[in-house]
Amino acid sequence: MPTTVQKQMYEELRNGQLFEQAQQYASAYLEQVLERNVFPSPEALAQLAVFDEALPQATANGKAVLEMLHQYGSPATVAQLGGRYFGFVNGSAVPTGLAAKHLATYWDQNTAMQVISPLAAKLEMVVEGWLRDIFGLPPEVVAGFVSGTSSANFCALAAARFHLLERQGWNINEQGLFNAPPLRIVTGREAHSTILKAISLLGFGKQNIEWVPTDEQGRIIPSEIPQLDDRTILILQAGNVNSGAFDPFADICAQARDAGAWIHVDGAFGLWAGAVAQLKYLTRGMELAHSWAVDGHKTLNTPYDSGIVMCAHREALVSALHMKGGYLVLSEERDGMFYTPEMSRRARAVELWATLRYLGQAGVDEMVWGLHQRAKEFADAFEKVDGIDVLTEVVFNQVVVACESDEQTEAVLQSVQDQRVCWVGGSHWHGRRVIRISVCAWTTTSEDVQRSVASFQEALSANLK
Ligand SMILES: *Cc1c(COP(=O)(O)O)cnc(C)c1O
């Protein structure tokens, strides 16, 4: 006899009402996500207090749980799917990718091994090949499907560590880091914080980084790179998180490779420039690297969470993330868990596959180029606004602006955020308080840009009084 809860859950699974209800809530949400204010109202945020309750003793009714989530959760979300969210570097979601993720949610596949989900393994293999092609990477490059670029950077640097130490006759997995031959880490002053996190986690120590000075756009200055050797990991960047600038790969990679260094490229959002004819010049030379980290959930506009580590040394990546167990059933082809830190994982290749299958090369071109165009429109519009300066060159999708003083910039930022027409974040750039606009959502239209700039103008006039 099924228990009470089990009976209730069978009923919920079979009659489908819960899922219809979720679908209705989702549709209602989608209907207003493009138009609504980007940031939730103070009232919606205050109502989040309803979630402050002790774990209930009794089992609830599924519909009531969903209803609570929709009633208090939906209004408190930030409309990141819409066209006026420019904070951090956050993409929207291509509808086909979102719908595919929805379907895959019901499949509930674990992608650890091919024998657990042949479908997920197949899609991972297909997407791996497509990514190699679209970025112009060599045929030996393999891909691991991880939660984001934080994880991808970590995996890539672990592979680099394994490989460089193995060349020194040292097996990091067996012998560990104590007494290991020293490796060198060389990276630019503008390296992303997740690179520093990976360096800490991997035991390299941030103090040991050999920092390379960067220019006014945030690019590594090639002549300032120290002498490299075969014990060095050189970490470059495709897309500075503030300015969107790209390190000059073409001037760096061939020599670094000849010196025997391992080159890693953090291309969380910027690597996608390399997928688009008009913007490819920005990543020229990056194909000579040994590993790359990139997100689906930023520029490609897949839903969260979706990052990819790519590596030209399969052995190094698989060895660094190695995993053994008598009960594991390994296939001839591809077991996803060898390319990621996790064993059990959701099938995130589904929405990557669906998004790429839907967009095709033409769609990727148009979408990514569109992000660049909207960013240019922002910069052009700001050029005409007295009191706001555009501080960096808009090479990709990022725009950095500031007012005359840090105080004014802060006040304008606050006022724009309070208006809720759009959402932009603050940052620091070359000693100044700045506002950073990241155009990363396919949903952003020229009208969204105009409405957002108008919000800045209103903030400016309110604060100049
Ligand atoms: C966003 C970002 C990261 C971190 O990526 P997550 O997907 O958030 O983990 C790393 N590097 C750069 C340059 C980024 O923009």
Side-chain angles (χ1 to χ4, degrees), residues 89 148-150 153 192 194 237 239 241 266 268-269 295 297-298:
V89 189
T149 293
S150 303
N153 280 334
H192 193 263
T194 56
Q237 181 162 261
V241 78
D266 174 1
F269 64 96
D295 274 324
H297 57 223
K298 288 178 177 173

PDB file of all heavy atoms in Angstrom, residues 89 148-150 153 192 194 237 239 241 266 268-269 295 297-298, ligand 1:
ATOM      1  N   VAL A  89      26.696  40.838 -16.622  1.00  0.00           N
ATOM      2  CA  VAL A  89      26.636  40.467 -18.043  1.00  0.00           C
ATOM      3  C   VAL A  89      25.630  39.326 -18.104  1.00  0.00           C
ATOM      4  O   VAL A  89      25.985  38.165 -18.026  1.00  0.00           O
ATOM      5  CB  VAL A  89      28.006  40.012 -18.603  1.00  0.00           C
ATOM      6  CG1 VAL A  89      27.939  39.842 -20.119  1.00  0.00           C
ATOM      7  CG2 VAL A  89      29.102  41.002 -18.240  1.00  0.00           C
ATOM      8  N   GLY A 148      28.887  27.204 -15.419  1.00  0.00           N
ATOM      9  CA  GLY A 148      29.177  28.565 -15.857  1.00  0.00           C
ATOM     10  C   GLY A 148      30.668  28.718 -16.056  1.00  0.00           C
ATOM     11  O   GLY A 148      31.437  27.750 -15.924  1.00  0.00           O
ATOM     12  N   THR A 149      31.104  29.930 -16.352  1.00  0.00           N
ATOM     13  CA  THR A 149      32.520  30.158 -16.617  1.00  0.00           C
ATOM     14  C   THR A 149      33.364  30.061 -15.345  1.00  0.00           C
ATOM     15  O   THR A 149      34.539  29.724 -15.414  1.00  0.00           O
ATOM     16  CB  THR A 149      32.713  31.492 -17.356  1.00  0.00           C
ATOM     17  OG1 THR A 149      32.142  31.361 -18.660  1.00  0.00           O
ATOM     18  CG2 THR A 149      34.168  31.857 -17.503  1.00  0.00           C
ATOM     19  N   SER A 150      32.780  30.334 -14.188  1.00  0.00           N
ATOM     20  CA  SER A 150      33.558  30.145 -12.944  1.00  0.00           C
ATOM     21  C   SER A 150      34.089  28.717 -12.903  1.00  0.00           C
ATOM     22  O   SER A 150      35.268  28.475 -12.661  1.00  0.00           O
ATOM     23  CB  SER A 150      32.681  30.350 -11.707  1.00  0.00           C
ATOM     24  OG  SER A 150      32.088  31.612 -11.713  1.00  0.00           O
ATOM     25  N   ASN A 153      36.576  27.990 -15.896  1.00  0.00           N
ATOM     26  CA  ASN A 153      37.937  28.487 -15.629  1.00  0.00           C
ATOM     27  C   ASN A 153      38.666  27.543 -14.682  1.00  0.00           C
ATOM     28  O   ASN A 153      39.833  27.214 -14.878  1.00  0.00           O
ATOM     29  CB  ASN A 153      37.873  29.888 -14.992  1.00  0.00           C
ATOM     30  CG  ASN A 153      37.647  30.992 -16.015  1.00  0.00           C
ATOM     31  OD1 ASN A 153      37.993  30.859 -17.192  1.00  0.00           O
ATOM     32  ND2 ASN A 153      37.068  32.095 -15.571  1.00  0.00           N
ATOM     33  N   HIS A 192      39.411  38.574 -14.553  1.00  0.00           N
ATOM     34  CA  HIS A 192      38.127  38.494 -13.855  1.00  0.00           C
ATOM     35  C   HIS A 192      38.299  37.850 -12.482  1.00  0.00           C
ATOM     36  O   HIS A 192      39.170  37.001 -12.291  1.00  0.00           O
ATOM     37  CB  HIS A 192      37.154  37.670 -14.699  1.00  0.00           C
ATOM     38  CG  HIS A 192      35.734  37.773 -14.249  1.00  0.00           C
ATOM     39  ND1 HIS A 192      35.154  36.840 -13.433  1.00  0.00           N
ATOM     40  CD2 HIS A 192      34.790  38.713 -14.511  1.00  0.00           C
ATOM     41  CE1 HIS A 192      33.888  37.194 -13.210  1.00  0.00           C
ATOM     42  NE2 HIS A 192      33.645  38.321 -13.847  1.00  0.00           N
ATOM     43  N   THR A 194      36.747  35.589 -11.081  1.00  0.00           N
ATOM     44  CA  THR A 194      36.614  34.124 -11.035  1.00  0.00           C
ATOM     45  C   THR A 194      37.933  33.430 -11.403  1.00  0.00           C
ATOM     46  O   THR A 194      38.143  32.271 -11.040  1.00  0.00           O
ATOM     47  CB  THR A 194      35.500  33.619 -11.976  1.00  0.00           C
ATOM     48  OG1 THR A 194      35.768  34.077 -13.294  1.00  0.00           O
ATOM     49  CG2 THR A 194      34.144  34.135 -11.533  1.00  0.00           C
ATOM     50  N   GLN A 237      42.164  37.066 -21.800  1.00  0.00           N
ATOM     51  CA  GLN A 237      40.753  37.395 -21.643  1.00  0.00           C
ATOM     52  C   GLN A 237      40.130  37.813 -22.969  1.00  0.00           C
ATOM     53  O   GLN A 237      40.671  38.656 -23.672  1.00  0.00           O
ATOM     54  CB  GLN A 237      40.687  38.550 -20.635  1.00  0.00           C
ATOM     55  CG  GLN A 237      39.330  39.048 -20.306  1.00  0.00           C
ATOM     56  CD  GLN A 237      39.358  39.855 -19.010  1.00  0.00           C
ATOM     57  OE1 GLN A 237      39.026  39.372 -17.935  1.00  0.00           O
ATOM     58  NE2 GLN A 237      39.767  41.102 -19.121  1.00  0.00           N
ATOM     59  N   GLY A 239      37.007  39.645 -23.745  1.00  0.00           N
ATOM     60  CA  GLY A 239      35.879  40.382 -23.184  1.00  0.00           C
ATOM     61  C   GLY A 239      36.113  40.775 -21.740  1.00  0.00           C
ATOM     62  O   GLY A 239      35.851  40.006 -20.828  1.00  0.00           O
ATOM     63  N   VAL A 241      35.200  42.439 -18.377  1.00  0.00           N
ATOM     64  CA  VAL A 241      33.861  42.493 -17.794  1.00  0.00           C
ATOM     65  C   VAL A 241      33.322  43.934 -17.706  1.00  0.00           C
ATOM     66  O   VAL A 241      32.114  44.142 -17.694  1.00  0.00           O
ATOM     67  CB  VAL A 241      33.864  41.783 -16.424  1.00  0.00           C
ATOM     68  CG1 VAL A 241      34.472  42.657 -15.345  1.00  0.00           C
ATOM     69  CG2 VAL A 241      32.466  41.320 -16.063  1.00  0.00           C
ATOM     70  N   ASP A 266      39.815  33.206 -20.879  1.00  0.00           N
ATOM     71  CA  ASP A 266      38.530  33.421 -20.218  1.00  0.00           C
ATOM     72  C   ASP A 266      37.677  34.242 -21.190  1.00  0.00           C
ATOM     73  O   ASP A 266      37.898  35.443 -21.359  1.00  0.00           O
ATOM     74  CB  ASP A 266      38.735  34.177 -18.897  1.00  0.00           C
ATOM     75  CG  ASP A 266      37.411  34.561 -18.249  1.00  0.00           C
ATOM     76  OD1 ASP A 266      36.337  34.229 -18.791  1.00  0.00           O
ATOM     77  OD2 ASP A 266      37.453  35.209 -17.171  1.00  0.00           O
ATOM     78  N   ALA A 268      34.109  34.286 -21.192  1.00  0.00           N
ATOM     79  CA  ALA A 268      32.750  34.049 -20.682  1.00  0.00           C
ATOM     80  C   ALA A 268      31.669  34.564 -21.638  1.00  0.00           C
ATOM     81  O   ALA A 268      30.798  33.815 -22.058  1.00  0.00           O
ATOM     82  CB  ALA A 268      32.592  34.681 -19.308  1.00  0.00           C
ATOM     83  N   PHE A 269      31.760  35.841 -21.981  1.00  0.00           N
ATOM     84  CA  PHE A 269      30.791  36.363 -22.952  1.00  0.00           C
ATOM     85  C   PHE A 269      31.447  36.697 -24.278  1.00  0.00           C
ATOM     86  O   PHE A 269      30.845  36.587 -25.334  1.00  0.00           O
ATOM     87  CB  PHE A 269      30.055  37.586 -22.378  1.00  0.00           C
ATOM     88  CG  PHE A 269      30.944  38.772 -22.094  1.00  0.00           C
ATOM     89  CD1 PHE A 269      31.073  39.784 -23.033  1.00  0.00           C
ATOM     90  CD2 PHE A 269      31.651  38.875 -20.903  1.00  0.00           C
ATOM     91  CE1 PHE A 269      31.895  40.879 -22.777  1.00  0.00           C
ATOM     92  CE2 PHE A 269      32.467  39.973 -20.644  1.00  0.00           C
ATOM     93  CZ  PHE A 269      32.590  40.975 -21.584  1.00  0.00           C
ATOM     94  N   ASP A 295      30.457  30.973 -21.640  1.00  0.00           N
ATOM     95  CA  ASP A 295      29.103  30.741 -21.140  1.00  0.00           C
ATOM     96  C   ASP A 295      28.114  30.622 -22.294  1.00  0.00           C
ATOM     97  O   ASP A 295      28.236  31.316 -23.310  1.00  0.00           O
ATOM     98  CB  ASP A 295      28.649  31.919 -20.268  1.00  0.00           C
ATOM     99  CG  ASP A 295      29.102  31.765 -18.824  1.00  0.00           C
ATOM    100  OD1 ASP A 295      29.127  30.624 -18.334  1.00  0.00           O
ATOM    101  OD2 ASP A 295      29.418  32.790 -18.193  1.00  0.00           O
ATOM    102  N   HIS A 297      24.909  30.990 -21.095  1.00  0.00           N
ATOM    103  CA  HIS A 297      23.872  31.847 -20.513  1.00  0.00           C
ATOM    104  C   HIS A 297      24.132  33.339 -20.616  1.00  0.00           C
ATOM    105  O   HIS A 297      23.313  34.130 -20.172  1.00  0.00           O
ATOM    106  CB  HIS A 297      23.566  31.432 -19.065  1.00  0.00           C
ATOM    107  CG  HIS A 297      24.736  31.432 -18.119  1.00  0.00           C
ATOM    108  ND1 HIS A 297      24.947  30.420 -17.221  1.00  0.00           N
ATOM    109  CD2 HIS A 297      25.731  32.304 -17.911  1.00  0.00           C
ATOM    110  CE1 HIS A 297      26.032  30.682 -16.495  1.00  0.00           C
ATOM    111  NE2 HIS A 297      26.522  31.823 -16.903  1.00  0.00           N
ATOM    112  N   LYS A 298      25.251  33.725 -21.160  1.00  0.00           N
ATOM    113  CA  LYS A 298      25.460  35.164 -21.399  1.00  0.00           C
ATOM    114  C   LYS A 298      25.114  35.457 -22.865  1.00  0.00           C
ATOM    115  O   LYS A 298      23.953  35.470 -23.223  1.00  0.00           O
ATOM    116  CB  LYS A 298      26.886  35.564 -21.030  1.00  0.00           C
ATOM    117  CG  LYS A 298      27.093  35.570 -19.515  1.00  0.00           C
ATOM    118  CD  LYS A 298      28.511  35.928 -19.120  1.00  0.00           C
ATOM    119  CE  LYS A 298      28.637  35.992 -17.604  1.00  0.00           C
ATOM    120  NZ  LYS A 298      30.049  36.167 -17.192  1.00  0.00           N
TER     121      LYS A 298
HETATM  122  C1  LIG B   1      30.663  36.297 -16.030  1.00  0.00           C
HETATM  123  C2  LIG B   1      32.124  36.105 -16.177  1.00  0.00           C
HETATM  124  C3  LIG B   1      32.774  35.054 -15.528  1.00  0.00           C
HETATM  125  C4  LIG B   1      32.031  34.117 -14.585  1.00  0.00           C
HETATM  126  O1  LIG B   1      31.069  33.386 -15.291  1.00  0.00           O
HETATM  127  P1  LIG B   1      29.831  32.669 -14.551  1.00  0.00           P
HETATM  128  O2  LIG B   1      29.087  32.039 -15.675  1.00  0.00           O
HETATM  129  O3  LIG B   1      29.068  33.772 -13.884  1.00  0.00           O
HETATM  130  O4  LIG B   1      30.387  31.702 -13.586  1.00  0.00           O
HETATM  131  C5  LIG B   1      34.110  34.883 -15.752  1.00  0.00           C
HETATM  132  N1  LIG B   1      34.794  35.719 -16.561  1.00  0.00           N
HETATM  133  C6  LIG B   1      34.206  36.756 -17.197  1.00  0.00           C
HETATM  134  C7  LIG B   1      35.027  37.625 -18.096  1.00  0.00           C
HETATM  135  C8  LIG B   1      32.848  36.986 -17.031  1.00  0.00           C
HETATM  136  O5  LIG B   1      32.257  37.997 -17.650  1.00  0.00           O
END
